[in-house]
Amino acid sequence: MAPSVLLIGVGGVGSIAAYTLQSNGAVVTAVARSSYDVLKKDGFTIESCDYGKVENFVPSHVYKTAEEAMKEQGPFNFIVITTKNIPDVYPVEKMIESAYNKDTAIVLLENGVGIERSMFKAYPDATVISGVTMISSTLYDTTIKHVGPDNVSFGAFINPSIPKENQILKAKEFQKLYYNEFNKAKYDENVKFIRWRKLIYNGAINTTCAITNVDVGRLEMFGGMDKIVRPAMKEIFAISKADGVNLPEDIMENMIRSDDGEYYPPSMLVDIRKGQYTEYKIILGTALEIAKEKGIPTPVCSILCDLLEVIQMRTMEARNRIELPEKRPLPADNYKIEYKY
Amino acid sequence: MAPSVLLIGVGGVGSIAAYTLQSNGAVVTAVARSSYDVLKKDGFTIESCDYGKVENFVPSHVYKTAEEAMKEQGPFNFIVITTKNIPDVYPVEKMIESAYNKDTAIVLLENGVGIERSMFKAYPDATVISGVTMISSTLYDTTIKHVGPDNVSFGAFINPSIPKENQILKAKEFQKLYYNEFNKAKYDENVKFIRWRKLIYNGAINTTCAITNVDVGRLEMFGGMDKIVRPAMKEIFAISKADGVNLPEDIMENMIRSDDGEYYPPSMLVDIRKGQYTEYKIILGTALEIAKEKGIPTPVCSILCDLLEVIQMRTMEARNRIELPEKRPLPADNYKIEYKY
């Protein structure tokens, strides 16, 4: 029987993952929110540097919630999460509650370090696979523009409560399912290394661009790269070391130079400009939790994270997730913000 | 002969200053940029908590530049500067170049600490008077809404190169010229004390609101007051101490509570929302220069200031003060940003 995959989040990354897995023989059941109607009607047009032009792509099955998907198509061999990871708004572990069982491996095809923590907390017997991709792919309306190859690595986040071998086997099994001649998906057991390497960029550059509302090119020309990004990067580098990862020193300079020649707007800046939530928690928040545990000082990154938290709350108000009283409460009122969903 | 005043900047603060001085018997020559046409036509309507409703207020004379004003009305007893102080865009000392002479005292009715430094550098023989007001007054179109009383203090910034007594006399003379039963303008020689006290608010709260784009009420409810403002305030408090000023400890809590009950948007936030330049340099930059001289660590305030610098450059681009090359320059290009004015 063909392996079955539940895929949550059909955006730029998710669509390519869905197309890849389906082309490779898996049955892909997708949970889509904003793109549900498009997928139900004509599907996506994919313009891909890896796969060429694909018209009317639709996953094997499409549902609005994981609950419905589970009821009609479950259980699954894998749950692949490619949606934005915003634990302060909708925790991913909660999203898959109805579809989870211990024989279904979870694949987190997402940014950030420490993102497996909340998963293991919610599902202590879970097999959780890390997926890190350097892909550049964006959904515009009904078209996926995939311009940077899906250079992706998979490996197991090791759950100490269950046998290690099974987790490694599952990760290798998924890598095989995802691999083809176009993406050359890799198995790489150095999950932490890969994640921290990407965080050197995301934790320092992506965050600062989002706060100042300028792209990477402008950030450098306006002095922010030297004054803010470099000290922030050094802090993240120090946390990664304390977390047992030995990144090469020149990774910092390489990341700073990685968008050379381009006024590139990184993902969190794009989110801010669209009025959307940012992944600041998994991109910086969890790294700072690790820093705290290890006793690494993070004066710059902490302030960046605190500023992004305030900005996230501002977005929550704009998106009607919270509503403030008409008159500003006094401290004596002990007012607590209520979340609507 | 009536004392003559050249007043630069006819906005919320400047209009009340002009009205006050003129009512008290001075001849006020105003230099207006954006409000020039209104003043030449019907003048301002002033709705003032101190003076009631005043229609068609126009200063004694109105010009577009200090140069024209000087040619036709100069020399002056005082030059009063109430324009926004943005040294990175148009240094105030440059603005008054043509109208300055050593017998004309300069009154800086502006925020910030260390703002006298650039003045003494440009005019080593200058008498420079500090004016700090707690006024709340805003220009909307052709109407000045003056809602918080003009609680103002004057005193001399002591210039060590010229006799001290003359400077004190000049400051007292100006305070008398400004004083009336409505504003009760004070003479206060503790110029630094007053300025640092206000900077406790402005350097920490005003800056953080501007960066996060939320008002004071939201900043507190969203967690920014505790996580960002309090540590920033402690740094400013430490700098003020090192600068020889003994503010009371509870000034910090008092400033945090000073807008209680109001979702108050402080000035820099208003500037950001209007797409205008912020006074981040005189509100935080000069304080940080002093911190550096005195060896006071400022991890939080330095990052806030660096972020505001990037944001200021973004505003410069939006206002066409700078123009960037179409393709992002490489480090090897040694590209330098050119300022158009």
Side-chain angles (χ1 to χ4, degrees):
Chain A
M1 216 176 96
S4 64
V5 172
L6 177 68
L7 186 134
I8 317 260
V10 197
V13 176
S15 300
I16 298 300
Y19 180 78
T20 303
L21 291 162
Q22 207 158 303
S23 310
N24 291 358
V27 175
V28 176
T29 301
V31 175
R33 280 181 309 179
S34 45
S35 46
Y36 179 84
D37 290 337
V38 175
L39 286 176
K40 273 295 180 188
K41 205 175 161 240
D42 298 320
F44 286 146
T45 300
I46 298 178
E47 294 171 8
S48 165
C49 56
D50 289 345
Y51 302 107
K53 186 156 181 174
V54 180
E55 309 237 29
N56 306 108
F57 169 68
V58 182
S60 318
H61 309 282
V62 183
Y63 295 92
K64 276 191 173 167
T65 66
E67 205 170 351
E68 291 170 82
M70 182 65 181
K71 202 183 291 169
E72 301 195 15
Q73 308 295 336
F76 303 96
N77 297 110
F78 298 97
I79 299 176
V80 179
I81 302 180
T82 52
T83 188
K84 232 190 325 181
N85 193 332
I86 307 173
D88 41 335
V89 179
Y90 28 80
V92 288
E93 60 272 19
K94 211 159 172 190
M95 232 178 266
I96 60 167
E97 212 166 26
S98 54
Y100 175 78
N101 73 67
K102 73 174 179 41
D103 298 320
T104 301
I106 299 164
V107 183
L108 299 178
L109 188 47
E110 302 187 307
N111 285 320
V113 295
I115 57 170
E116 73 282 17
R117 293 174 166 216
S118 60
M119 214 42 98
F120 287 146
K121 209 174 153 190
Y123 311 114
D125 53 3
T127 297
V128 183
I129 297 165
S130 161
V132 176
T133 175
M134 292 294 164
I135 198 170
S136 178
S137 176
T138 313
L139 167 62
Y140 297 95
D141 203 11
T142 63
T143 301
I144 303 288
K145 300 231 180 204
H146 175 203
V147 294
D150 190 6
N151 188 348
V152 63
S153 308
F154 298 104
F157 288 112
I158 300 302
N159 180 349
S161 318
I162 55 172
K164 190 173 170 181
E165 301 69 44
N166 292 356
Q167 301 176 58
I168 292 174
L169 279 178
K170 274 280 179 195
K172 287 186 172 168
E173 188 186 327
F174 188 78
Q175 178 264 333
K176 279 206 194 82
L177 185 59
Y178 201 101
Y179 176 92
N180 62 35
E181 59 176 315
F182 304 106
N183 63 40
K184 298 192 179 63
K186 281 186 292 291
Y187 169 77
D188 190 332
E189 62 177 17
N190 295 319
V191 164
K192 273 168 121 183
F193 184 94
I194 295 169
R195 293 200 161 266
W196 277 111
R197 186 175 57 190
K198 202 167 173 195
L199 208 82
I200 293 282
Y201 182 98
N202 277 328
I205 296 179
N206 207 342
T207 50
T208 307
C209 286
I211 295 169
T212 55
N213 190 8
V214 299
D215 57 55
V216 178
R218 285 173 172 80
L219 187 66
E220 179 163 52
M221 296 170 86
F222 295 171
M225 202 66 100
D226 284 341
K227 290 184 181 169
I228 308 162
V229 167
R230 286 179 193 276
M233 270 190 178
K234 281 183 191 153
E235 293 177 7
I236 298 169
F237 189 82
I239 312 170
S240 71
K241 245 192 172 51
D243 198 33
V245 170
N246 277 309
L247 295 172
E249 278 270 358
D250 63 3
I251 186 70
M252 294 186 274
E253 200 56 35
N254 291 342
M255 285 297 179
I256 286 173
R257 299 266 61 88
S258 65
D259 306 307
D260 262 3
E262 302 288 335
Y263 291 110
Y264 178 72
S267 63
M268 290 174 75
L269 172 60
V270 173
D271 287 333
I272 289 287
R273 288 182 173 170
K274 285 186 180 171
Q276 290 177 350
Y277 300 118
T278 70
E279 293 186 298
Y280 85 97
K281 276 227 171 189
I282 59 145
I283 278 180
L284 202 49
T286 41
L288 291 176
E289 278 173 28
I290 296 170
K292 210 173 167 188
E293 287 164 22
K294 311 280 184 190
I296 305 297
T298 55
V300 179
C301 288
S302 291
I303 290 297
L304 297 180
C305 191
D306 294 338
L307 291 166
L308 286 165
E309 186 181 342
V310 173
I311 292 169
Q312 190 89 317
M313 297 292 287
R314 184 187 81 200
T315 305
M316 286 190 197
E317 188 185 6
R319 296 178 76 99
N320 278 315
R321 186 167 192 247
I322 58 174
E323 198 178 341
L324 303 185
E326 207 169 308
K327 197 174 158 61
R328 178 184 170 194
L330 297 172
D333 299 336
N334 273 318
Y335 179 81
K336 292 266 171 286
I337 289 178
E338 267 178 52
Y339 297 89
K340 291 198 198 167
Y341 53 89
Chain B
M1 217 176 96
S4 63
V5 172
L6 177 67
L7 186 134
I8 318 258
V10 197
V13 176
S15 301
I16 297 299
Y19 179 78
T20 302
L21 290 161
Q22 207 157 303
S23 310
N24 290 357
V27 175
V28 176
T29 301
V31 175
R33 282 182 308 178
S34 45
S35 46
Y36 179 83
D37 290 335
V38 176
L39 286 175
K40 274 295 181 189
K41 203 175 164 239
D42 298 321
F44 286 145
T45 300
I46 299 178
E47 294 170 8
S48 165
C49 56
D50 289 345
Y51 301 108
K53 185 156 182 173
V54 180
E55 310 236 31
N56 306 107
F57 169 69
V58 181
S60 318
H61 308 283
V62 183
Y63 295 93
K64 277 191 174 168
T65 66
E67 204 169 351
E68 291 170 81
M70 181 66 181
K71 204 183 290 170
E72 300 195 15
Q73 307 295 336
F76 304 96
N77 298 110
F78 298 97
I79 299 175
V80 179
I81 302 179
T82 53
T83 188
K84 229 184 332 175
N85 193 330
I86 307 173
D88 40 335
V89 180
Y90 29 79
V92 289
E93 60 272 19
K94 209 156 177 194
M95 232 178 266
I96 61 168
E97 212 165 24
S98 54
Y100 176 77
N101 74 67
K102 74 171 178 46
D103 298 319
T104 300
I106 299 163
V107 183
L108 299 178
L109 188 46
E110 302 188 307
N111 285 319
V113 295
I115 57 170
E116 73 281 16
R117 293 175 166 218
S118 60
M119 213 44 96
F120 287 146
K121 207 174 156 191
Y123 311 114
D125 53 3
T127 298
V128 183
I129 298 165
S130 160
V132 176
T133 176
M134 292 294 166
I135 198 170
S136 177
S137 176
T138 313
L139 167 62
Y140 297 96
D141 204 11
T142 64
T143 301
I144 303 286
K145 301 231 179 205
H146 175 203
V147 295
D150 190 8
N151 188 348
V152 63
S153 307
F154 298 103
F157 287 112
I158 299 302
N159 180 349
S161 317
I162 56 172
K164 191 173 170 181
E165 301 70 41
N166 292 357
Q167 302 176 59
I168 292 173
L169 278 176
K170 274 281 179 195
K172 286 185 173 169
E173 189 186 327
F174 187 78
Q175 177 265 333
K176 278 205 195 82
L177 184 61
Y178 201 100
Y179 175 92
N180 62 34
E181 57 176 317
F182 304 106
N183 63 39
K184 297 191 178 65
K186 281 186 293 292
Y187 169 77
D188 190 333
E189 62 177 20
N190 295 319
V191 164
K192 271 170 127 183
F193 184 94
I194 296 169
R195 293 198 161 265
W196 276 110
R197 187 175 56 191
K198 202 167 172 194
L199 208 81
I200 293 282
Y201 182 98
N202 276 329
I205 296 178
N206 206 344
T207 49
T208 308
C209 286
I211 295 169
T212 55
N213 190 8
V214 299
D215 58 55
V216 179
R218 284 172 172 80
L219 187 66
E220 180 164 51
M221 297 170 85
F222 295 170
M225 202 67 98
D226 285 342
K227 291 184 181 169
I228 308 163
V229 167
R230 286 179 193 276
M233 271 192 178
K234 281 182 191 152
E235 293 178 7
I236 298 169
F237 189 82
I239 312 170
S240 71
K241 242 189 176 53
D243 198 34
V245 169
N246 276 309
L247 295 172
E249 278 270 357
D250 63 4
I251 186 69
M252 293 187 273
E253 200 56 34
N254 291 342
M255 286 299 179
I256 286 173
R257 299 266 61 87
S258 65
D259 306 306
D260 262 2
E262 302 288 334
Y263 291 110
Y264 178 73
S267 62
M268 289 173 75
L269 172 59
V270 174
D271 288 333
I272 289 286
R273 287 182 174 170
K274 286 186 180 170
Q276 289 177 352
Y277 299 118
T278 71
E279 292 186 298
Y280 84 97
K281 275 229 169 186
I282 59 145
I283 278 180
L284 202 49
T286 42
L288 291 176
E289 279 174 27
I290 296 170
K292 209 172 169 188
E293 287 164 23
K294 311 281 182 188
I296 305 295
T298 55
V300 179
C301 288
S302 292
I303 290 297
L304 297 181
C305 193
D306 294 337
L307 291 167
L308 286 164
E309 185 181 342
V310 173
I311 292 169
Q312 190 90 316
M313 297 291 289
R314 186 188 77 200
T315 306
M316 286 190 198
E317 187 186 6
R319 296 178 76 99
N320 277 315
R321 185 164 193 250
I322 58 175
E323 199 178 342
L324 303 185
E326 206 167 310
K327 197 173 159 61
R328 178 183 170 194
L330 297 173
D333 299 336
N334 274 318
Y335 179 81
K336 291 267 171 285
I337 288 178
E338 266 177 56
Y339 296 89
K340 292 198 196 164
Y341 53 89

